[in-house]
Amino acid sequence: MFRTISLFTLWMIVALPAVAQTLIETRNRDIDLFAGQGKLIKLDEPAQTVFLANPDVADVEIKSPTLLYIYGKRIGETTLFVIDDQEEVTLSSAVGVSVNMDAVSRAAHATVTGGSFSVSEVGGAIVLSGRVGTIADAERIDSVVRQLAGETVTVVNSLSLETPPQINLQVRIAEVSRSVSEDLGVSWTSLSGGRSQSGDGLLTAFSISGTIEALKSRGLVTILSEPNLTARSGDKASFLAGGRFPYQTVAEGDDSSSVQFEPYGVELEFLPEVLRADQIKLNVRTQIRELDFSNGSTSNTQNIPLILERSASTTIEVGSGQSFAIAGLFSATTQQDVKDVPGLGEIPILGALFRSTSYQSGETELVIIVTPYIVEPAAPDKFKTPLEGFAPANSLDRHFLGSLSAGEPISKSGPVSVKNINGNAGFLLQ
């Protein structure tokens, strides 16, 4: 495609505004431009016709018969031809439009002040290399460079992070349930009844008995689960300590059945992202599931348990080593039942002999706390497990001393403590 401008339109073009940045005199020389940069070209002979081979790369305006204004539009190469009134080619120059790497580098370093990175041009592509503090810094640099370079320029992002992008998430799920129940009164029941034949006729007899109920019970249930999981910044990780319970389902209108699996136990899933050197964004989902067969249901093939679940899902931002309570619950329930003999149970004072009361109350407290750490790998000899120093007991110690192990891996004074596994075992904190 050629763009031709004749002197017929000279006076109309001269009226167009144009600002020259550089005045050059050229004869068959290459013209180098940056995208958005313009230059004035001084001609030795008056021009009759001026055209460019590719007007998408650059454009030219005739300011006078001996003065041209050329400016770069986008990255690429084209050719400028100038012909005089004798149809002689007075100028034939290759025009190259490139990226102003100095301006792009200054803009990138102004966007992100930290880190040690460079912006360079290799084979027509812009290469970003070096190290920055966070993923967000790398994304900002990449965005600025792409906007200044244009859509036609290939940008190779080889930036790496200075901060170790490994995050260990510790979750503490603590639950305490208290229950109190009281039963007091007299429960009247009819144990037996029958008829007998006597000489005077038919005799009906009933045996009625009462049971004195005076019972009080209290219960306490505690649950403490501390799952922890390590993942790279920007990647999702999941953890399940438990199992999957199978149960059959039957399709509607069809006798065919299928087996599905429902997970139970302690499950943890999170997506970490290091925003700054000491700030972590977490997308956390954690849950505890228990199987309760006592309150479940029964099908033709199996007993289906009731699934008790405590779960939480949220997105937070905390510093490395800081804790955050992402969920909490306090629940209190009360239930009272009164059973009496109709009519007799409403008599003042004496009615207590024909009445039975039942009282139940329960309180549940639940809290879920998450603590992320930025961690880094280490040599294998730096890691320990709760089984360090553990050995099974021999037959003599097991039968005569009642010992189960020859070592004491759970001792607080030992190198590793199961009760404090995050101290000297597992991983190294930054």
Side-chain angles (χ1 to χ4, degrees):
M1 178 179 180
F2 293 89
R3 181 181 179 89
T4 305
I5 303 177
S6 63
L7 291 179
F8 178 76
T9 60
L10 174 63
W11 301 108
M12 297 180 61
I13 298 178
V14 170
L16 296 176
V19 179
Q21 298 180 2
T22 306
L23 177 63
I24 61 173
E25 294 183 3
T26 179
R27 178 180 295 276
N28 299 329
R29 294 180 180 178
D30 293 341
I31 302 174
D32 296 324
L33 298 171
F34 296 133
Q37 182 188 27
K39 291 182 178 180
L40 284 173
I41 302 176
K42 181 68 174 179
L43 302 176
D44 295 335
E45 302 292 336
Q48 175 68 26
T49 305
V50 178
F51 60 87
L52 285 168
N54 188 356
D56 293 332
V57 174
D59 208 346
V60 64
E61 295 180 2
I62 303 176
K63 312 305 293 183
S64 70
T66 59
L67 190 62
L68 304 179
Y69 178 69
I70 186 171
Y71 59 93
K73 298 173 65 176
R74 73 175 190 179
I75 310 303
E77 295 182 352
T78 185
T79 306
L80 172 66
F81 295 98
V82 177
I83 302 175
D84 61 9
D85 56 356
Q86 302 297 324
E87 296 187 353
E88 295 290 337
V89 179
T90 60
L91 179 62
S92 175
S93 299
V95 179
V97 180
S98 60
V99 179
N100 189 347
M101 295 305 302
D102 292 337
V104 173
S105 180
R106 289 195 302 268
H109 283 84
T111 302
V112 177
T113 57
S116 176
F117 64 94
S118 62
V119 182
S120 58
E121 183 180 5
V122 179
I126 298 179
V127 178
L128 307 178
S129 58
R131 301 173 69 87
V132 293
T134 64
I135 296 178
D137 292 343
E139 292 177 348
R140 283 196 295 268
I141 295 173
D142 185 87
S143 176
V144 169
V145 171
R146 291 183 185 275
Q147 290 179 6
L148 295 179
E151 299 179 354
T152 59
V153 180
T154 302
V155 178
V156 180
N157 192 343
S158 300
L159 296 173
S160 58
L161 297 181
E162 293 178 346
T163 304
Q166 310 283 349
I167 295 94
N168 177 271
L169 179 65
Q170 299 181 16
V171 180
R172 284 183 292 168
I173 305 173
E175 179 181 356
V176 178
S177 298
R178 291 178 290 267
S179 62
V180 177
S181 62
E182 294 181 357
D183 295 315
L184 181 62
V186 180
S187 176
W188 295 92
T189 58
S190 176
L191 298 180
S192 63
R195 297 181 179 182
S196 61
Q197 185 70 34
S198 64
D200 296 335
L202 184 64
L203 177 62
T204 303
F206 291 94
S207 175
I208 301 177
S209 65
T211 302
I212 299 177
E213 297 179 346
L215 178 63
K216 181 178 181 180
S217 63
R218 287 181 293 181
L220 177 64
V221 178
T222 61
I223 297 177
L224 177 62
S225 179
E226 296 189 15
N228 71 86
L229 187 63
T230 302
R232 192 177 66 175
S233 176
D235 292 340
K236 181 183 292 186
S238 59
F239 168 87
L240 173 62
R244 297 184 182 274
F245 178 78
Y247 63 95
Q248 288 185 341
T249 59
V250 180
E252 295 183 1
D254 193 357
D255 295 336
S256 62
S257 61
S258 61
V259 178
Q260 297 186 5
F261 293 86
E262 191 71 22
Y264 67 91
V266 179
E267 187 173 2
L268 173 63
E269 181 179 291
F270 81 113
L271 175 62
E273 181 181 354
V274 179
L275 300 179
R276 291 179 292 277
D278 59 346
Q279 205 72 9
I280 304 172
K281 177 183 176 183
L282 289 175
N283 189 336
V284 186
R285 186 182 70 87
T286 181
Q287 63 181 12
I288 294 181
R289 285 185 167 189
E290 295 180 82
L291 301 180
D292 185 3
F293 285 91
S294 62
N295 296 317
S297 60
T298 303
S299 65
N300 296 330
T301 57
Q302 66 178 142
N303 294 329
I304 302 177
L306 179 68
I307 298 180
L308 305 178
E309 178 178 332
R310 278 81 69 191
S311 62
S313 177
T314 186
T315 300
I316 60 173
E317 182 177 333
V318 294
S320 177
Q322 295 180 339
S323 297
F324 211 116
I326 63 172
L329 170 67
F330 175 78
S331 176
T333 59
T334 302
Q335 180 179 349
Q336 301 184 59
D337 295 323
V338 177
K339 299 178 181 179
D340 58 5
V341 177
L344 298 178
E346 300 176 359
I347 299 175
I349 302 177
L350 296 179
L353 300 176
F354 303 93
R355 185 168 55 243
S356 173
T357 61
S358 175
Y359 170 81
Q360 293 181 350
S361 67
E363 293 182 353
T364 300
E365 295 182 52
L366 172 67
V367 64
I368 300 177
I369 302 173
V370 296
T371 306
Y373 293 94
I374 298 178
V375 298
E376 57 185 7
D381 58 353
K382 299 293 184 180
F383 295 92
K384 297 181 180 180
T385 68
L387 297 181
E388 295 290 337
F390 173 81
N394 54 35
S395 299
L396 295 177
D397 292 340
R398 186 168 53 252
H399 290 296
F400 293 100
L401 301 179
S403 300
L404 298 178
S405 64
E408 296 293 338
I410 62 174
S411 174
K412 292 185 178 181
S413 60
V416 179
S417 173
V418 174
K419 298 179 181 179
N420 190 17
I421 190 65
N422 300 322
N424 299 323
F427 49 83
L428 296 183
L429 302 183
Q430 184 184 13

